[in-house]
């Protein structure tokens, strides 16, 4: 396939790299030419910061930009790619945002967290595809199967529920790690001491029902420990962390009281 990318961020970087192994990446567009050139140079593709310079002779256009920019992008490019399949990579944007403008619209969503410094295990990464036209959906499924062993045809509503769940499972949990590091850093304690605990917690979450694996003072209803922790955060003048601690402790306590 001949594929062009709109966007040169983290998703585009990883997805273009893996697709380039079996397909031709024709162009990379970014509003910042330097970003487009950086990615294009790794793929022997052309770079452009002028959206009107995109070549129409391609098989697939992948929009890999911020969610709020997708609607504007499809308005700008759909006339250049009248009979070309155009997809976005968003978990939270409805297929209809493209379909309202472009007949051959689809979604190619990888459920993964992307960082430039880390490789992606594509075979283990769930890929979600959706398309307006059945033959386009079949084409996206074939493309997804060439990358991953976990390919799903989910609706936009199902994909949105996954995206919301991912915020809790990934973004919020990572911020909890950040808060934990702030706490131990303040006392010159090595954060790596928590690594085995973090890994064991993640392993339990994927091997068992997460609610059944809950531990800690809130689950036990140990008010003495809860009060002590709250006082520690207050003494450290970390009202921000105290607020998070109180909210999460209350939610855990209520959840496990209801179970009991």
């Amino acid at each position: 396939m001949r594929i062009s990318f709109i966007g040169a961020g983290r998703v585009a970087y990883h997805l273009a790299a893996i697709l380039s192994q079996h397909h031709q990446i024709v162009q990379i567009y970014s509003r910042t030419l330097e970003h487009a050139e950086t990615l294009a140079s790794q793929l022997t593709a052309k770079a452009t910061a002028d959206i009107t310079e995109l070549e129409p002779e391609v098989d697939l256009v992948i929009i890999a930009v911020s969610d709020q920019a997708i609607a504007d992008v499809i308005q700008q490019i759909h006339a250049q790619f009248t009979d070309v399949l155009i997809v976005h990579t968003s978990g939270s944007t409805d297929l209809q945002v493209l379909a309202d403008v472009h007949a051959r619209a689809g979604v190619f969503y990888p459920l993964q967290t992307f960082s430039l410094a880390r490789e992606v295990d594509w075979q283990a990464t769930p890929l979600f595809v959706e398309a307006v036209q059945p033959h386009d959906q079949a084409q996206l499924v074939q493309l997804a199967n060439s990358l991953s062993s976990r390919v799903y045809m989910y609706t936009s509503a199902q994909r949105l529920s996954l995206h919301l769940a991912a915020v809790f499972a990934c973004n919020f949990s990572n911020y909890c790690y950040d808060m934990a590091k702030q706490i131990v850093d303040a006392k010159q304690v090595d954060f790596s001491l928590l690594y085995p605990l973090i890994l064991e917690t993640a392993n339990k979450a994927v091997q068992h029902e997460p609610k059944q694996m809950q531990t800690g003072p809130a689950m036990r209803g140990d008010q003495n420990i809860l009060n002590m922790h709250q006082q520690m955060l207050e003494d450290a003048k970390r009202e921000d962390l105290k607020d998070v601690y109180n909210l999460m402790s209350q939610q855990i306590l209520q959840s496990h009281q209801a179970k009991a």
Side-chain angles (χ1 to χ4, degrees):
M1 294 180 72
R2 287 168 54 83
I3 304 170
S4 286
F5 275 80
I6 311 295
R10 289 173 292 182
V11 175
Y13 173 86
H14 286 286
L15 189 54
I18 188 67
L19 288 174
S20 70
Q21 295 180 13
H22 301 287
H23 304 276
Q24 180 185 356
I25 309 302
V26 178
Q27 278 181 299
I28 304 292
Y29 163 83
S30 174
R31 290 177 300 177
T32 305
L33 182 58
E34 181 182 0
H35 295 168
E37 289 175 337
T38 298
L39 180 54
S41 66
Q42 302 175 43
L43 308 166
T44 63
K46 297 178 181 178
T48 182
D50 184 347
I51 207 162
T52 65
E53 291 182 351
L54 288 169
E55 298 178 15
E57 299 301 318
V58 295
D59 303 301
L60 176 65
V61 175
I62 298 178
I63 300 175
V65 299
S66 64
D67 290 2
Q68 60 265 32
I70 293 172
D72 288 339
V73 168
I74 191 62
Q75 290 285 352
Q76 293 178 64
I77 70 169
H78 78 96
Q80 295 168 249
F81 301 99
T82 307
D83 195 36
V84 175
L85 175 58
I86 300 177
V87 302
H88 69 64
T89 60
S90 168
S92 59
T93 301
D94 199 288
L95 170 64
Q96 207 61 40
V97 171
L98 298 186
D100 284 342
V101 178
H102 192 74
R104 295 188 63 191
V107 177
F108 196 83
Y109 169 55
L111 181 58
Q112 188 55 273
T113 175
F114 294 96
S115 301
L116 295 179
R118 291 185 63 84
E119 295 296 321
V120 174
D121 182 354
W122 282 102
Q123 274 296 312
T125 297
L127 290 174
F128 301 88
V129 300
E130 185 181 14
V132 172
Q133 300 185 24
H135 68 278
D136 286 333
Q137 180 147 306
Q139 187 177 24
L140 291 177
V141 168
Q142 184 177 6
L143 182 64
N145 279 326
S146 72
L147 304 184
S148 173
S149 60
R150 304 186 67 186
V151 177
Y152 305 89
M153 290 174 286
Y154 272 19
T155 66
S156 291
Q158 289 174 311
R159 198 173 63 254
L160 180 57
S161 72
L162 272 171
H163 191 265
L164 174 58
V167 169
F168 279 91
C170 175
N171 307 130
F172 288 174
S173 63
N174 188 72
Y175 186 62
C176 285
Y177 302 149
D178 180 17
M179 289 187 290
K181 189 172 188 303
Q182 293 176 45
I183 290 169
V184 295
D185 282 354
K187 297 296 185 182
Q188 292 81 51
V189 172
D190 186 357
F191 178 66
S192 70
L193 294 170
L194 292 170
Y195 289 176
L197 180 66
I198 291 170
L199 294 174
E200 177 62 13
T201 302
N203 284 331
K204 288 197 296 185
V206 300
Q207 294 171 10
H208 304 276
E209 181 72 23
K211 187 173 183 178
Q212 301 303 319
M213 294 297 104
Q214 187 69 55
T215 61
M219 188 277 291
R220 298 190 302 270
D222 190 336
Q223 199 60 53
N224 289 334
I225 297 295
L226 293 173
N227 291 340
M228 181 177 66
H229 286 170
Q230 292 163 5
Q231 188 61 52
M232 288 173 65
L233 293 170
E234 188 172 321
D235 292 344
K237 296 182 170 52
R238 293 304 306 263
E239 291 296 328
D240 54 337
L241 300 187
K242 181 182 174 183
D243 288 344
V244 175
Y245 184 95
N246 288 344
L247 178 60
M248 295 189 75
S249 294
Q250 283 302 312
Q251 291 296 315
I252 292 169
L253 184 61
Q254 291 172 17
S255 173
H256 286 272
Q257 281 181 334
K259 182 183 70 172

